[in-house]
Amino acid sequence: MAEKLDTGPLIEVLQDASRVAVLTGAGISAESGIPTFRGEEGLWKKYRPEELATPTAFSRDPKLVWEWYDWRRVIFAQKEPNPGHKVIARWEGTFPTVSLITQNIDGLHQKAGSKNIWELHGNIWKVRCTEEGTITENYDTPLKEIPPLCPNCGALLRPHVVWFGESLSPTILQKSIQLSSECDVMFVIGTSAVVQPAASLPFEASEAGAKIVEINPDPTPFSLYADFSIRGKSGEILPLIDEELKKTSKA
Ligand code: OAD
């Protein structure tokens, strides 16, 4: 399917684009071997979010919640960015501005080399003191102690991720809305487009006049509104688009 893609009209749009925004979800990391949340093999089929990814679950049983995050961190640490992550990172040198807004917490965009990243749902490689609020990076796999404690005050550390029932960082959300409303083109990649407020960002972009390019093997509630809805895996489609772009003045 990917080989038959006619990228011509999209390439024309991209040639004129100077501000590109990219919104990614779990699907961009699927080809790196990280399970998505929804769908048949999705993480939420096997685990109940309310037992693991909520503040209530954490106060009830921090050890259980940390064991789940520790398990995921061990898996994530073994994964590498795929060609989709790499093309997005490369594009920071192709377009004048590329702003990457991600719902993912896996850190694979950073590993691929992306710099201008806005992480809506936090990062699994960061921990936050439940007393002091200090955020630090922690790459131990497995963790040295579960649950981990703040080296400064001894309070519980928690994953620096957004749980169900919690608000996103207002600063990151505001910036994401601003970037969405100011871009010329927005790529919407590997997200089921059902979780708010991330799901509203493509609408912000579209209403402000941006062209929207969706890349997903399956249709989503957003597909109807996209200017280009490309059915396929991002690890295959993004390199194809990139190859076509390289043939133009954008290199
Ligand atoms: P989902 O699991 O809801 O959706 C993943 C999307 O990726 C689906 O639409 C798939 O069709 C698509 N997909 C699968 N393989 C793909 C591939 N190779 N290339 C491109 N797309 C592919 O994940 P998200 O939309 O990211 O939030 O979920 C949003 C949020 O829901 C997550 O950040 C998480 C979850 O609850 C929190 O934890 C706060």
Side-chain angles (χ1 to χ4, degrees), residues 24-31 35-39 42 44 53 69 72 103-105 121 162-164 168 189-195 198 215-220 232-235:
T24 62
I28 186 110
S29 296
E31 288 156 273
T36 59
F37 291 93
R38 297 171 184 82
W44 294 148
Y69 277 95
R72 290 175 72 197
Q103 298 166 85
N104 298 349
I105 60 170
H121 295 164
V162 176
W163 283 328
F164 288 93
L168 279 61
I189 305 172
T191 177
S192 55
V194 294
V195 175
I215 303 176
N216 197 311
D218 296 320
T220 74
K233 296 179 175 178
S234 45

Side-chain angles (χ1 to χ4, degrees), residues 198-219:
S200 67
L201 295 176
F203 289 100
E204 293 278 347
S206 183
E207 275 165 25
K211 296 284 184 207
I212 312 293
V213 188
E214 183 181 58
I215 303 176
N216 197 311
D218 296 320

